[in-house]
Amino acid sequence: MTSNNNEVRQYIDKVLEDIKIKNPSEYEFHQATKEVLSSLKPLLLKEPRYMQNSILERIVIPERTIIFRVSWMDDNHKIQINTGYRVQFNSSVGIYKGGLRFHPSVNLGIIKFLGFEQIFKNSLTGLSIGGAKGGSDFDPKGKSDGEILRFCQSFMNELYRHIGSTKDVPAGDIGVGGREIAYLFGQYKKLTGLFDGVLTGKGLNYGGSMARTEATGYGSVYFAQNVLKSVNKEIKGMRCCVSGSGNVALYTIQKLHTLGAVAVACSDSKGTLYHENGLDFETLKEIKEVNHGDLKTYTEIFEDSIYTPKEHYAQDTHHIWSIPCDIAFPSATQNELNLHDAKNLIANGVLLVNEGANMPTTLEATKYLIENGVLFAPAKAANAGGVATSQLEMAQNSSMVSWSFEEVDKKLKDIMDGIFKRAYETAKEFGCEGDLIMGTNIAGFKKVADAMIRQGV
Ligand code: NDP
Ligand code: 2IT
């Protein structure tokens, strides 16, 4: 028995409508669920069991949402209060897994959109990992090292009871890098007396994996290589704009240069940097990763580079997307590439948009890019190298072995090739060859939904 078109469309619309009613003002969550559910139509038409088992209604609600108070003392001995979150979204195919974001914009809707996306991304890697996300509205910018330490300790004082190496394994995301993971791990160990793989992205001297730092950026470029190969092109010689200058952006830039492409522009929350002959990776790393500084200081070292502060951006646009490039790698944050930006990219002849960040392209911009023949690599596939390598870190921790950089990098590349193949072939199976959004969402969803059905209500 198959379902008919109207029935499926009404089912999807009803679930999306209910999400809006039950979760008002969670706009990013509305956007993420709309993107996924809309692309599942061909699958729901073909396989009625998902409707019969109320899978959509179930999958859009987290298994557990934890919200907690985080109080900590600043350097002036004043007590500061933030909100902490951990949304354990889906454990059908494995332990809850996903990053922690520390940024003042964090709210429940943002953590839910990220947790929801994580379910399908993790499933698509081909590994057994469930989906979760967490974080806080704490702003690490301008805080002393002591303040970061005290915040992380207080955050873990509550989080520790909800996580564990066979239960829920957080990692980094915006505002959470090696320093924060170390402080969080130290406090977890004090509270539980356990030295285990409860967090990923750990330092190499206490259980971390080689290549985890590089993994999301490298993986994003490996994915782009696959997309280009499918249209008989190669990455060598391509001029690229990579937004952001954090973990994902930096290692995207490094890998692009290794492969003979040229990254000409990057950005941070204050402005855009353009360097016609190619950005210098080591200098960027020193400014952003080591010193947590401003991108602007790059122009003091390279006088032929140009910095445009955010205040000078044209209205409603992000300056970086008005710089001519063959490939755009949005790698900073959600909704950082809008319809105006898409029009600018197309006017300048962009070939591929490869999403390094989570949900960086608005729904309107995505539609416009695709309608105008731009290749599009969706985040759940293109940035899955980070979480996949986190799983490799967990595998090394539980078996007490350490793999070399080359071994991990090789596994990462194989995983990214596998993700592309799965997404590409799934799209083809459903009559939409080349539609990687549909391929990614259907392949990611199917594995989780089938596990949910098999495991009962
Ligand atoms: P980082 O904190 O290391 O870097 C984020 C970068 O983006 C910084 O340059 C930051 O600017 C900029 N940025 C952040 N928020 C904004 C904003 N609201 N407006 C403008 N610029 C902003 O984070 P990551 O590199 O780890 O994460 C980047 C993206 O990649 C996120 O969407 C994240 O969810 C996603 N991602 C990360 C993975 C990982 O392993 N880390 C894995 C998969 C996806 P500034 O330097 O001024 O703060
Ligand atoms: O969005 C993501 O995939 C991440 N921030 C990484 C998650 C992880 O568990 O490594």
Side-chain angles (χ1 to χ4, degrees), residues 101 103 105 114 118 121 133 141 172-176 212-213 215-216 243-250 267-270 288 293-294 310 330-334 336 356-360 383-387:
R101 176 177 292 191
H103 192 271
S105 65
L114 290 162
Q118 202 81 41
K121 181 197 308 193
K133 201 83 188 190
K141 281 222 179 70
D173 194 82
I174 291 177
V176 178
R212 174 61 188 92
T213 306
T216 313
S243 65
S245 47
N247 175 267
V248 179
L250 280 178
S267 60
D268 67 4
S269 54
K270 298 190 176 128
K288 297 302 297 188
D294 282 350
K310 207 173 172 178
S331 308
T333 192
Q334 65 273 1
E336 54 158 319
N358 286 308
M359 206 169 74
N383 75 28
V387 74

Side-chain angles (χ1 to χ4, degrees), residues 316-341:
D316 296 329
T317 68
H318 300 86
H319 178 66
I320 190 162
W321 309 129
S322 65
I323 297 170
C325 64
D326 302 306
I327 312 180
F329 285 91
S331 308
T333 192
Q334 65 273 1
N335 293 328
E336 54 158 319
L337 197 166
N338 62 28
L339 186 59
H340 299 285
D341 301 322

Side-chain angles (χ1 to χ4, degrees), residues 148-159:
I148 303 271
L149 170 68
R150 291 192 293 281
F151 175 80
C152 288
Q153 290 180 334
S154 179
F155 185 83
M156 188 51 84
N157 284 346
E158 176 58 32
L159 186 69

Side-chain angles (χ1 to χ4, degrees), residues 157-397:
N157 284 346
E158 176 58 32
L159 186 69
Y160 87 96
R161 68 190 86 239
H162 307 290
I163 61 175
S165 59
T166 55
K167 188 175 173 186
D168 182 356
V169 180
D173 194 82
I174 291 177
V176 178
R179 170 181 59 171
E180 292 74 20
I181 293 291
Y183 290 153
L184 291 164
F185 184 72
Q187 188 69 0
Y188 177 85
K189 204 158 49 64
K190 274 187 206 132
L191 292 165
T192 62
L194 299 171
F195 190 113
D196 61 14
V198 69
L199 290 155
T200 58
K202 300 186 290 299
L204 296 176
N205 53 351
Y206 68 92
S209 171
M210 284 289 190
R212 174 61 188 92
T213 306
E214 293 82 356
T216 313
Y218 282 18
S220 174
V221 178
Y222 294 148
F223 195 84
Q225 280 186 295
N226 272 290
V227 178
L228 293 172
K229 199 168 148 202
S230 72
V231 293
N232 296 317
K233 291 197 186 317
E234 59 171 317
I235 206 152
K236 195 166 173 221
M238 295 272 172
R239 291 178 73 78
C240 307
C241 287
V242 184
S243 65
S245 47
N247 175 267
V248 179
L250 280 178
Y251 292 97
T252 298
I253 293 168
Q254 189 190 35
K255 182 52 79 179
L256 285 172
H257 289 172
T258 313
L259 296 173
V262 191
V264 293
C266 68
S267 60
D268 67 4
S269 54
K270 298 190 176 128
T272 300
L273 180 69
Y274 174 66
H275 200 172
E276 192 182 354
N277 296 327
L279 296 159
D280 185 73
F281 167 74
E282 291 301 335
T283 306
L284 284 177
K285 182 177 157 153
E286 186 69 18
I287 295 172
K288 297 302 297 188
E289 188 182 285
V290 180
N291 296 329
H292 302 281
D294 282 350
L295 208 49
K296 191 168 183 274
T297 54
Y298 183 97
T299 56
E300 291 163 16
I301 300 160
F302 293 96
E303 289 178 359
D304 57 338
S305 63
I306 302 167
Y307 179 81
T308 309
K310 207 173 172 178
E311 303 76 62
H312 295 183
Y313 291 2
Q315 207 188 349
D316 296 329
T317 68
H318 300 86
H319 178 66
I320 190 162
W321 309 129
S322 65
I323 297 170
C325 64
D326 302 306
I327 312 180
F329 285 91
S331 308
T333 192
Q334 65 273 1
N335 293 328
E336 54 158 319
L337 197 166
N338 62 28
L339 186 59
H340 299 285
D341 301 322
K343 288 182 178 170
N344 283 336
L345 282 168
I346 289 170
N348 287 322
V350 75
L351 177 70
L352 164 66
V353 172
N354 199 84
E355 296 190 317
N358 286 308
M359 206 169 74
T361 317
T362 65
L363 290 174
E364 284 176 302
T366 307
K367 188 165 175 277
Y368 191 80
L369 288 165
I370 291 168
E371 281 171 359
N372 283 278
V374 177
L375 297 167
F376 191 86
K380 294 182 212 75
N383 75 28
V387 74
T389 307
S390 279
Q391 196 274 356
L392 300 178
E393 182 172 331
M394 289 157 73
Q396 292 168 83
N397 290 161

